[in-house]
Amino acid sequence: MSDLVQFLLAGLALGSVYALICLGFVVIYRATGVINFAQGGLVVLGAFLTHEFAVRQGLPFSLAVVLAVAAVAGIGMALERVVFRPMVGQPTFAMILITLGVLFVLEQASAARWGYDVLLIGDPWGVQTVQIGGATVKVADLWTLGAAGAALAALFALFRFSTLGIAMRAGAADPEAALAHGISPQAIHGLSWAIAGAVATLAGVFLSAGPKGVDLSLSLVAFRAFPAMILGGLDSPEGAVTGGVLIGLIEVLTAAYLVTAVPGVGANFHVVMPYLVMVVILIVRPYGLFGREEVRRA
């Protein structure tokens, strides 16, 4: 029983991080209709900048995280202004290919500054553990659950109850009508990229916490969160959170129980399992659990 509690908390913590990454995908997709493959590069950059501020510059960890979040949010806005705004109206596939190019640029820029070795980000939790219900739980997992939950709640409050959030939703639903009411699509797009950069940084910090550290392989985690985004529905923030949590739980519980019980499936089957779940759910619900069916005129 204690093992199950431990694995459930670990799965929820991983799922919370996936939810943050997915939310970054969804915010940009709703605003621009583009799947942003550069999200993994923003995750890596955010974690490396946290290392830079906390370890190399010696700043308090909390301040380092705030500075990294602000920096990557600003870089996201700059990318939108310089790279993606001139592409408005161009074919969607061209913009998707550009996001892939931006991913490689961000990765190589990070490698040029911080190298290829694993670097610790200087978080205060390290390998500390606590006992909960007889289970040994990582302190980093508890902080991940609390901080990611607070960040997701703040974003939902922004989207639901603030004037800015309502403007973003209006711009995503009907850009022409929103423009007629004085809502600037450019401002909405820039803000979407800033939010995507901010949540990517938080995800990178929690994925790198403790002894794991950060290196370029961290960007691959964004692709492991991809099934969560598809599962929840490309245009649904609620789906992104639900899909992220589900995929985190499935991945951890598969690694803990199924891989051990059925060794023939392979040691990395837990990495494949989320994609299998995604395929099954898409066969039943092609637009994901919370996605909206596209209405086409006959």
Side-chain angles (χ1 to χ4, degrees):
M1 185 63 185
S2 61
D3 287 343
L4 178 60
V5 173
Q6 178 179 336
F7 293 138
L8 285 176
L9 286 173
L12 288 172
L14 180 61
S16 299
V17 176
Y18 283 167
L20 286 172
I21 297 173
C22 291
L23 202 56
F25 278 117
V26 169
V27 166
I28 290 182
Y29 182 80
R30 281 170 62 97
T32 66
V34 172
I35 298 176
N36 174 29
F37 286 102
Q39 191 70 7
L42 297 175
V43 171
V44 171
L45 183 60
F48 272 127
L49 282 173
T50 303
H51 161 83
E52 175 71 31
F53 293 131
V55 178
R56 297 196 180 187
Q57 306 302 325
L59 298 176
F61 181 72
S62 56
L63 178 58
V65 173
V66 171
L67 291 176
V69 166
V72 180
I75 290 171
M77 293 186 73
L79 285 172
E80 187 279 333
R81 180 65 184 86
V82 176
V83 178
F84 294 101
R85 189 175 297 183
M87 292 295 295
V88 171
Q90 300 302 316
T92 301
F93 79 90
M95 296 185 70
I96 293 175
L97 290 177
I98 288 176
T99 67
L100 276 173
V102 171
L103 167 65
F104 295 133
V105 170
L106 290 175
E107 286 184 340
Q108 291 311 307
S110 297
R113 176 67 180 91
W114 294 287
Y116 294 90
D117 295 333
V118 176
L119 301 174
L120 299 179
I121 63 170
D123 65 276
W125 314 303
V127 294
Q128 298 175 30
T129 59
V130 294
Q131 294 292 318
I132 297 179
T136 302
V137 179
K138 296 177 183 176
V139 174
D141 284 347
L142 296 178
W143 273 98
T144 300
L145 277 172
L152 292 170
L155 286 172
F156 272 101
L158 171 70
F159 292 142
R160 294 289 181 187
F161 305 117
S162 72
T163 304
L164 185 60
I166 294 172
M168 290 185 68
R169 289 162 55 196
D174 192 336
E176 293 182 358
L179 183 61
H181 286 80
I183 299 173
S184 167
Q186 291 83 6
I188 297 302
H189 293 175
L191 184 59
S192 299
W193 274 90
I195 292 175
V199 295
T201 301
L202 291 176
V205 167
F206 294 126
L207 286 170
S208 308
K212 290 175 287 190
V214 53
D215 63 3
L216 292 183
S217 66
L218 197 64
S219 66
L220 297 177
V221 177
F223 290 101
R224 286 167 61 182
F226 203 73
M229 178 186 64
I230 302 296
L231 186 69
L234 275 172
D235 59 352
S236 170
E238 296 87 352
V241 175
T242 305
V245 171
L246 280 176
I247 291 300
L249 285 169
I250 289 170
E251 187 173 321
V252 171
L253 294 177
T254 299
Y257 294 108
L258 186 60
V259 172
T260 305
V262 189
V265 298
N268 290 321
F269 185 73
H270 63 286
V271 178
V272 178
M273 190 65 175
Y275 292 92
L276 293 179
V277 173
M278 178 189 73
V279 169
V280 171
I281 289 184
L282 287 183
I283 290 174
V284 179
R285 292 183 59 85
Y287 294 93
L289 295 175
F290 293 85
R292 294 172 297 181
E293 185 174 356
E294 184 179 352
V295 178
R296 295 181 179 176
R297 295 179 180 174

